[in-house]
Amino acid sequence: MKLLFLACLSPQTGNHTTAERIRSHIESAGHTCELRDAAEFQSPAEVARLVSRNPPFEGALAIHLFRAGRLLLDIQVPFGVIFGGTDINEDVKVEQKRVVMEQVLLKARFAVAFTDKLKEEAELFLLSQSSKICVQPQGIQTEATKTFCWTEFLRSSGVSSEHVDELRVFVLVCGLRRVKDPLYLVEVFSEWHCENPLNVLVIIGPKIDPILSAEVEAVVKSRGLLGSGEEPTGASRCHEKVLRRGQQLRLRGHVSSHLGGHGSRGTRVGQGHSRKCSHSAA
């Protein structure tokens, strides 16, 4: 089967990671899957012409009902849609977008939600199409390279490796951008770490929004969350060191949580020390 797959393919985003993973799975099953960026098309008519070209596509798939699914409304082959968080958290609040999303859901052969909660919210805010919506959780597969050393990784990140076996390391995978702003997590986790220094948080992901990234680093700096002995620019230098180290820890797939983590290519860690306790925080 030849399939057209539409998604928002902005670099270093969860959509891109998820789309590539699904495309790979489809092709491994023996089908042909052409992944295209939804931003390439201005109207459903353009996609309809693409689908009907020779040899024609036999089906289609889209991530996000509004951003990509609306482009499939004019095609004459069956298609499925995959809910994105933006569909329910943002787009459904806009009446014009909600109407289009309902049209897409009505015409789609099936719809996929990654969580039960996302399905419930879709049924609440959109026309009830519960029979079409199936829940298929995402997963993540990790592989450490043969040369990867956990102790060295923590040390290079500014985390004390004196009690490596006792540390409880939490990993948040997300690229820094407004919709993925983890600043509130900094304060909460810092307090928790103050109570128990063995709790460590590591954020893995690229600096997608340089302005927000600068704001986050400013907050980290103002709270004294820098490695011991670092100069004022230590946070940036530490980031580059950890970025190189982090590439040794390959993350494939998509991490789905209420924080909206995304598989990505780098690592970002902020760490610091207060007067009475040591903080390791995003």
Side-chain angles (χ1 to χ4, degrees):
M1 178 178 289
K2 182 180 179 182
L3 296 174
L4 173 66
F5 189 6
L6 296 183
C8 300
L9 301 180
S10 299
Q12 302 178 328
T13 61
N15 275 346
H16 201 160
T17 300
T18 299
E20 286 290 356
R21 180 176 57 80
I22 295 175
R23 179 196 58 76
S24 176
H25 178 75
I26 291 173
E27 292 185 341
S28 67
H31 304 291
T32 299
C33 183
E34 185 173 323
L35 177 60
R36 300 286 291 271
D37 190 345
E40 295 179 26
F41 307 96
Q42 299 299 318
S43 69
E46 291 184 24
V47 177
R49 288 194 293 270
L50 172 64
V51 169
S52 61
R53 75 184 183 186
N54 192 29
F57 288 89
E58 302 169 79
L61 188 64
I63 297 179
H64 281 302
L65 273 69
F66 182 77
R67 294 184 176 183
R70 63 186 176 85
L71 296 170
L72 301 179
L73 287 174
D74 287 352
I75 66 175
Q76 301 304 312
V77 297
F79 68 86
V81 289
I82 301 171
F83 280 99
T86 304
D87 285 327
I88 301 304
N89 297 327
E90 300 294 337
D91 290 343
V92 78
K93 301 174 184 177
V94 181
E95 179 64 16
Q96 183 180 5
K97 293 182 177 181
R98 185 185 64 77
V99 171
V100 174
M101 290 165 64
E102 288 180 341
Q103 293 175 353
V104 173
L105 191 55
L106 283 170
K107 189 172 181 180
R109 181 70 63 87
F110 65 88
V112 176
F114 292 137
T115 65
D116 291 319
K117 183 178 180 181
L118 191 59
K119 177 181 178 179
E120 293 171 2
E121 292 179 338
E123 293 171 344
L124 176 64
F125 294 116
L126 301 172
L127 292 175
S128 179
Q129 294 289 318
S130 59
S131 61
K132 286 187 177 181
I133 305 175
C134 58
V135 177
Q136 185 172 344
Q138 295 211 74
I140 181 171
Q141 176 181 344
T142 64
E143 291 182 1
T145 63
K146 295 180 179 180
T147 58
F148 179 78
C149 175
W150 181 241
T151 301
E152 175 60 22
F153 172 76
L154 292 176
R155 186 197 64 75
S156 67
S157 304
V159 179
S160 174
S161 56
E162 184 177 352
H163 305 287
V164 173
D165 294 336
E166 300 176 28
L167 289 176
R168 287 183 288 272
V169 181
F170 296 80
V171 179
L172 170 62
V173 183
C174 83
L176 271 183
R177 51 193 173 114
R178 292 292 172 186
V179 72
K180 307 294 182 182
D181 185 358
L183 278 176
Y184 73 96
L185 188 60
V186 173
E187 299 181 3
V188 175
F189 203 96
S190 294
E191 294 174 0
W192 189 30
H193 176 81
C194 187
E195 297 173 1
N196 188 343
L198 294 179
N199 296 322
V200 177
L201 175 67
V202 175
I203 293 184
I204 298 179
K207 296 179 180 179
I208 298 177
D209 183 339
I211 297 178
L212 177 63
S213 299
E215 292 178 7
V216 172
E217 290 187 352
V219 171
V220 169
K221 179 180 177 182
S222 66
R223 290 176 59 84
L225 302 179
L226 297 177
S228 177
E230 293 283 4
E231 299 174 4
T233 57
S236 298
R237 291 210 316 271
C238 179
H239 168 79
E240 297 304 326
K241 288 167 58 181
V242 178
L243 179 62
R244 291 193 295 271
R245 294 284 181 179
Q247 289 173 340
Q248 295 178 330
L249 181 59
R250 304 204 312 274
L251 296 178
R252 296 211 305 265
H254 179 91
V255 176
S256 180
S257 71
H258 69 286
L259 294 172
H262 294 80
S264 52
R265 299 186 297 179
T267 303
R268 182 172 49 255
V269 178
Q271 55 286 328
H273 303 269
S274 68
R275 295 177 181 176
K276 296 183 179 180
C277 61
S278 170
H279 292 264
S280 237

